[in-house]
Structure formats: C-alpha cells, structure tokens
Amino acid sequence: MAFLKRTFVVFLYIAWTKGELTTQETVEVYLGDSAQILCQYNVTDGNNQPSDFLVQWFVRPDIRGSLEPIFYGDDKGQKVLDNTDYSDRINVTLDYQETQLTIQNVQLSDNRQFICHVQEKVFGFAVVTTDLRVFAPPDAPVIKDVMTGISVTNEMPSKVASCEVRNSFPEPNITWYKNSMPLMSSAGHANVSRDPRGFFSVQSTLEYKAVREDEDAYFSCEVSFFVPGGVRTLESNSVNITVYYPSTKVEMWRESPQGLVKEGDTVELRCHGDGNPPPSFIFHRKQDQDVDLESSGHVLILSPVSRNHSGIYQCRPLDSDEYADVKGEIQLPVHYLDPAVVVPKDSEVMLKGEDLTATCNALSSLKTHTVWYKDGKQVGTGNTLHLQDATYGTTGQYHCEVSAPSFPALHSSGSVHIIVRGGPQLVGEDQEVQLEEAIGRMVNLSCEAEGSPLPSISWNIIGTQNWKEVVRKSNEYVAQSVVSVNVTSDIRALCNVSNDVGTEVKAFNIKAIPSVTTPAPFTPAKGSGVIIVVIILCLLLLAISSVLYFLYRKGIIPPGRSGNLDITSERTPKDDVIEMVTLQRVSLANYWLVHKHFLFSLMLIHSNSSSSSSVDQSF
C-alpha cells in the first residue's frame, strides 16, 4: 500500500587540530511551520579557552547552484544579510559550541540545502550541509470521468476513470484499488504537473480490461504522500462502473394470456437475457429458423392465434456471438373446439312409435363432454342421443352443449328439431257410444283426439238439425269439440277427426224415449232403467191392493181373521166387523208403502237427471 521511509540524522565530523563540527543531515517540516537547523562545534585553544571564530550560513538554491550567504557573525556581532529571501524570516543564535538557524513560515522554495560554515583563526574552517525538506499534504483525491459503459468484448484495456490529486508537495503517488484490493501499477498511467506556486498535481487514468464480474465491483484510488517522519495516505470515494457483456443465458416465457390458450386469443411472448445492457431478440419458430418473426425488442405478439400457431418458439439475443448457442425456447399449444355438427341436421320428421339416434360431435384438441337439453332440461349426456318409441311429446328442439372440462372457455353447441307425425287417435276407449235419452232433452257430446299435425274435427249429425258446437279447444297435439244436441228422435252423431296422416270417426247413437214424468227434457243416466222398473212394481202393487179391497167390499171375498177362508166355523156379526177393520188397515198400510216407494223413486230420477245434464269441460 503505502510505504515508509525512515528519516535519520547523520552527524558529519570535520576534525580540526583543536575542534570538531557537527550538524543534521536532514530537517523535515510542514509548509508554513518553523524549521530549526542546529550546527555544533568546539573552538578552544590549547588551554581549552575559546578562540576567535566566525560563523556563516549559506543557502544553495539547487544542487549545482552557487552558495548564497544569508548570515555571518561571531561572538562580538551578527549580521543577517539584506535583500535575500530570508532577510525577514530567519533568526540565528550562536556561542562557542553551537549555532542555530531558525526559518519562520517555511515556504516550498525553502526545500533546499543550508550550509553551516565555521572558521577558526588558528586551525582553519569547516563546512557542514543540511537538507531542509518541506512537506505540503495534498487535497483529497477525486475520481472523475467515469466511463458510462465498458464492454468485456474489447480486446484492449479500456479507460475506466481518472483520479486527480492537487496541491501536494513533494510529488504524491496514486494507487488504484478494486474492491479494496490494489491493482497492478501498470493499470494506471499518471500525468504529473506543477503549478507556478510549486505544488504538484497528479492525474492517474485507470485502463483496465473489464470482465463480467466487474459489474458489481467498486473502484477507488489512494494517494500516498510524504510527511515529516513518514508517509500518509488518503482514499477517494468508491465508484461502480457499468460493464457491458453479452448474454450467456436466455429465459423465454408467455406473458399472456394466463392458463391455456385458445383460438382467437392474443398471445404475448417475452424473452430476457442475462446480458448488459438487456439485449433485443430475434424470434422464430423452431421448424422455420430461417424466417424471423416480426417483434419489438424482447416482445413477440401473436394475434389472433389459431391452431396453426401451435409449435415451439425460440428467441436469440442480438448481443451474443453468432456462433454461440444462446437461445430461449417455449412450447405454445393453441387449443380449439370446432362448431358442433349435429346429425340429423336442422330438423327431422319421424312417425309416432319410431326410434331415432342423433349425434353431436365437435373436433377439439382436448377431451370433451357433451350434454343434451330440451326445453331447458337435461335429457342426455354423451355425443349420442337415443329417442325410442317416439310420442308427440318427443317433438321439440334438442340442443347439445359441447365443452372441454379442462378448459371451460372452450364450448360449442348445435341443435336439431325433431317433429313426430301421427294420424288422429281418439281419446277414450269407445269409438261408438250408445245412449238413451228422453225426448226434448239437450245432450252434450264430446269428441277429443290427438295427432300431429293437429287434427281437425267436424260433425255429421243425422236425425236432428237442432244442435250447435259449444266448445272447441286445442293445443299443439290435442283437439276437442263439444256439441249440444236437442233430442227429438233417434239420433246418430258422427265425429270426424282427420289430418295429413289419417282419419278417425267416433259415433254416438242416441235412442229417444218418451218422457215419463215431466215434459222437461232430461237425459237418462246410468241406472235409470232400474228405477223405472221399481216404479212400475210399486204401481202394480198399489193396483192389486185396490182390487182386493174392491172385491172384499162387494162380498166376493169373505174376510177371515188370519186373512184365509174358514168354511167350518160360523160367522158372527162381530167377526165380520173385526175382519173388515183388519182388511182396511192392511190395505191402508200397503197404500202408504207403495206411495213411499213411489216418492223415493221420483227423487232418484230427479237426482240422476241433474247429474247427467252436466258436461265435462276438461281434457
């Protein structure tokens, strides 16, 4: 680092016959301080008594220059010479043993030799020389002109920075450091200058062949300079240089989109090299390395992507050696799901009771899942939908949804409209209905049928012109018509149901019967024949009772206690009266019994007539 130089004093002995002279070889002092130079001697005679002597001080401006007197004196008097650089700055003391020269406010020009001359009248003279060394510590070193960038690819050392030290005396020394470790002396080239005042300025330029690792290195300079009694140092601030170096590693990644890529997306690929400065890149596909893709610096934009963009993409830094295999690489899969293809296409007509298989397929780069819907409800899964034993309810729009479970953003759909055709089918078990109805009553006849296309209903009524349609209803598959017919005679009503596929007929045969109780029209209900039989029996029983009573009154049938004829006993008037009373009571009881049953039968007839006159209006 710095070096030390030992300062030492050498005494010169100049022997006289009766005396000796000594002084300091070197005196060191800071600029502006006072310097003392001591010259010692011994001038005595044989009796050790002081003899006459003369002391003179000289200065030598340079090594080869002549001596310039600045002082002389003896024990009787002293003189500082005028018109010298020291006329007002020196002070001299002397006696028989020594003399001391004191220089005040030492200047750089005082860095010279001072000579002590002592002359004795008997033994002659002696001369000794002292070098006065003046020291001025420099200002702190300053690093400047730091290069903005040094490339490691430069074959020759590059200028890194300059270190400047000013106002030093004597000349200082500059050493360069990297990370606190000294660099070889050959790394710096010094330029030394001296100003008019005599101070030295040193500017050292560091030339250095940088390596990649120097990007984190810190450079500094240290100045070493002499001071009285040794050497001191000052260190500059550290600076970091910018090192340029090519990439040795490259990273390539997909910036967007995140996750899987589908057709239509905008894909952004990026590359980053470990070189400095960050390099630009050229992009290409691995299978087309001779074709450079249009890019911007370190970014490649692909928009919109299709399945044809799938493949391996590479990027190479422009700062790398063309022969170096430095590149980044990434696999780009572009996923797709084609529109769903449904078979049968658009629509399909099938007959009622038939079977149909529909398929829904979509080409995809991923595994797919298919779901079938009808009227918003799921009706099947998988790419095949089986429709068996079709009914009119099978008719409708079938929608298939194809998706990729691993990539929900991929989905496709298709649809097919299924139409089920069939001839009319009457609702109900009987195609021919037998009815009996009282003359004058209104009868409602209902005809309902289903079919596709929707069947039409028409009526052909034979036996009366007094009828009208009171209800006509229909939905997508079912039609209903209700007519109200006035029974005036036997009637045959035909309900004709037809569509493009077929025809059906439903017949109503109405047998007109005379009204029994009231001319008010009513429709015989189920069980009305039984009620009529009961009424007739009641009437017969009433008639028989009346006949028996009549014969009894005429005496044709003799009365008996038990109701039987007795031909063995004699009858008394009392017995006749008793039997007559008994017969009258029996006849009266039979009459009320028959009358009760007759009223009950009338109530049943009225109830059933009310029930049969209502019409079911629902499907």
Side-chain angles (χ1 to χ4, degrees):
M1 187 186 263
F3 61 89
L4 298 177
K5 181 177 179 182
R6 298 182 58 191
T7 303
F8 54 89
V9 177
V10 179
F11 291 91
L12 298 180
Y13 298 90
I14 302 179
W16 297 327
T17 306
K18 287 289 186 175
E20 59 183 15
L21 181 63
T22 61
T23 187
Q24 300 160 279
E25 182 182 11
T26 302
V27 173
E28 297 179 342
V29 63
Y30 282 111
L31 177 68
D33 287 352
S34 296
Q36 290 84 29
I37 303 175
L38 181 64
C39 180
Q40 294 179 325
Y41 49 83
N42 184 13
V43 286
T44 59
D45 57 15
N47 298 321
N48 291 326
Q49 293 296 319
S51 61
D52 294 334
F53 66 95
L54 176 65
V55 175
Q56 290 180 296
W57 284 98
F58 297 88
V59 62
R60 191 189 303 274
D62 53 56
I63 297 176
R64 297 180 180 180
S66 60
L67 298 180
E68 297 180 5
I70 59 174
F71 172 85
Y72 66 88
D74 56 14
D75 58 340
K76 297 182 177 61
Q78 303 174 10
K79 177 63 176 179
V80 175
L81 299 181
D82 296 330
N83 299 323
T84 69
D85 292 338
Y86 302 95
S87 297
D88 56 353
R89 289 194 301 120
I90 63 172
N91 182 32
V92 180
T93 62
L94 59 86
D95 57 21
Y96 293 101
Q97 293 182 340
E98 63 182 16
T99 179
Q100 179 173 288
L101 173 65
T102 299
I103 306 171
Q104 299 175 348
N105 190 21
V106 173
Q107 304 297 313
L108 293 182
S109 59
D110 297 335
N111 190 74
R112 55 183 59 177
Q113 287 183 342
F114 289 84
I115 296 94
C116 176
H117 183 276
V118 179
Q119 183 177 356
E120 200 269 333
K121 65 180 180 178
V122 177
F123 303 106
F125 67 90
V127 178
V128 292
T129 301
T130 299
D131 290 329
L132 179 61
R133 294 187 177 179
V134 181
F135 298 94
D139 298 335
V142 177
I143 291 183
K144 60 182 183 178
D145 300 330
V146 180
M147 296 300 294
T148 56
I150 301 174
S151 176
V152 300
T153 59
N154 293 342
E155 296 182 358
M156 299 298 294
S158 303
K159 179 181 177 181
V160 176
S162 295
C163 178
E164 186 175 20
V165 178
R166 293 180 177 272
N167 302 323
S168 177
F169 191 88
E171 178 183 339
N173 183 59
I174 293 178
T175 304
W176 283 96
Y177 288 81
K178 183 183 81 169
N179 295 334
S180 301
M181 298 298 294
L183 297 172
M184 296 179 59
S185 58
S186 60
H189 299 278
N191 181 23
V192 182
S193 62
R194 194 171 186 181
D195 63 20
R197 299 174 301 166
F199 291 101
F200 288 95
S201 293
V202 179
Q203 185 176 27
S204 177
T205 301
L206 175 62
E207 293 185 354
Y208 177 76
K209 193 174 188 321
V211 294
R212 183 187 181 113
E213 290 74 16
D214 290 332
E215 66 173 340
D216 298 322
Y218 286 89
F219 292 85
S220 63
C221 66
E222 181 187 75
V223 58
S224 57
F225 53 93
F226 293 102
V227 295
V231 176
R232 291 184 182 176
T233 60
L234 288 175
E235 188 173 355
S236 70
N237 293 330
S238 297
V239 295
N240 177 248
I241 63 174
T242 302
V243 180
Y244 294 152
Y245 49 86
S247 299
T248 58
K249 295 180 181 179
V250 173
E251 179 186 6
M252 188 175 187
W253 72 95
R254 173 161 48 88
E255 181 70 16
S256 65
Q258 302 297 320
L260 299 178
V261 179
K262 68 179 184 302
E263 286 189 320
D265 285 344
T266 296
V267 176
E268 180 178 331
L269 301 180
R270 289 178 178 260
C271 281
H272 174 74
D274 61 351
N276 189 40
S280 296
F281 292 85
I282 55 174
F283 293 83
H284 57 261
R285 300 179 71 175
K286 186 175 182 179
Q287 56 269 37
D288 299 318
Q289 296 192 13
D290 295 334
V291 179
D292 294 340
L293 301 176
E294 184 178 352
S295 60
S296 175
H298 63 288
V299 178
L300 174 65
I301 302 294
L302 302 174
S303 178
V305 295
S306 67
R307 67 195 68 183
N308 295 329
H309 286 92
S310 296
I312 298 176
Y313 287 79
Q314 295 179 336
C315 63
R316 295 181 183 274
L318 294 177
D319 64 351
S320 63
D321 191 323
E322 61 179 339
Y323 300 106
D325 189 22
V326 180
K327 63 185 178 182
E329 188 174 279
I330 189 174
Q331 175 81 37
L332 176 63
V334 179
H335 297 288
Y336 57 89
L337 178 62
D338 287 345
V341 177
V342 181
V343 178
K345 184 179 180 181
D346 297 334
S347 64
E348 180 73 9
V349 177
M350 59 186 302
L351 296 178
K352 182 180 179 183
E354 287 185 343
D355 297 337
L356 176 68
T357 298
T359 60
C360 179
N361 294 288
L363 184 62
S364 176
S365 59
L366 298 171
K367 186 177 180 180
T368 60
H369 178 64
T370 305
V371 181
W372 292 86
Y373 297 92
K374 179 177 182 286
D375 299 330
K377 296 181 180 180
Q378 181 176 327
V379 294
T381 58
N383 66 326
T384 301
L385 177 66
H386 298 286
L387 300 177
Q388 297 178 338
D389 193 16
T391 64
Y392 298 127
T394 307
T395 298
Q397 190 81 8
Y398 290 81
H399 187 78
C400 67
E401 290 281 351
V402 183
S403 61
S406 60
F407 196 179
L410 284 180
H411 54 83
S412 181
S413 63
S415 63
V416 60
H417 187 69
I418 301 297
I419 303 173
V420 178
R421 298 296 190 194
Q425 183 175 355
L426 295 169
V427 177
E429 297 180 356
D430 298 330
Q431 286 188 310
E432 188 159 350
V433 180
Q434 303 294 332
L435 297 175
E436 290 184 354
E437 189 56 75
I439 295 175
R441 295 294 302 274
M442 297 297 294
V443 178
N444 290 335
L445 304 179
S446 176
C447 184
E448 181 178 351
E450 64 177 11
S452 178
L454 181 68
S456 62
I457 300 177
S458 63
W459 290 89
N460 184 15
I461 300 178
I462 302 171
T464 182
Q465 295 297 323
N466 189 9
W467 65 275
K468 65 178 179 177
E469 187 176 42
V470 294
V471 174
R472 178 173 287 274
K473 291 183 177 181
S474 65
N475 59 20
E476 189 174 1
Y477 313 112
V478 180
Q480 183 190 30
S481 175
V482 178
V483 295
S484 181
V485 180
N486 186 4
V487 179
T488 58
S489 61
D490 290 346
I491 297 173
R492 180 174 176 79
L494 300 178
C495 173
N496 301 304
V497 183
S498 63
N499 62 8
D500 295 341
V501 181
T503 302
E504 288 288 340
V505 177
K506 184 173 183 178
F508 296 87
N509 296 312
I510 304 175
K511 181 177 176 59
I513 60 175
S515 177
V516 175
T517 58
T518 174
F522 71 94
T523 301
K526 184 177 179 181
S528 60
V530 176
I531 297 174
I532 294 174
V533 172
V534 172
I535 294 175
I536 294 173
L537 292 176
C538 291
L539 292 175
L540 290 175
L541 181 59
L542 180 59
I544 293 171
S545 299
S546 300
V547 170
L548 291 175
Y549 178 74
F550 177 77
L551 294 177
Y552 171 76
R553 293 285 294 174
K554 292 296 184 179
I556 299 173
I557 301 175
R561 186 173 300 271
S562 62
N564 298 323
L565 295 177
D566 186 4
I567 61 174
T568 59
S569 61
E570 290 186 1
R571 296 180 56 88
T572 64
K574 184 179 181 179
D575 293 333
D576 292 338
V577 172
I578 292 172
E579 288 184 2
M580 182 179 296
V581 173
T582 301
L583 182 58
Q584 289 177 349
R585 289 179 178 176
V586 172
S587 298
L588 185 59
N590 288 334
Y591 173 79
W592 284 113
L593 178 61
V594 172
H595 184 67
K596 180 179 180 182
H597 281 285
F598 178 75
L599 292 177
F600 179 74
S601 298
L602 289 179
M603 291 176 64
L604 288 178
I605 291 173
H606 181 268
S607 176
N608 288 333
S609 298
S610 299
S611 299
S612 62
S613 63
S614 63
V615 179
D616 185 4
Q617 301 295 332
S618 64
F619 279 82

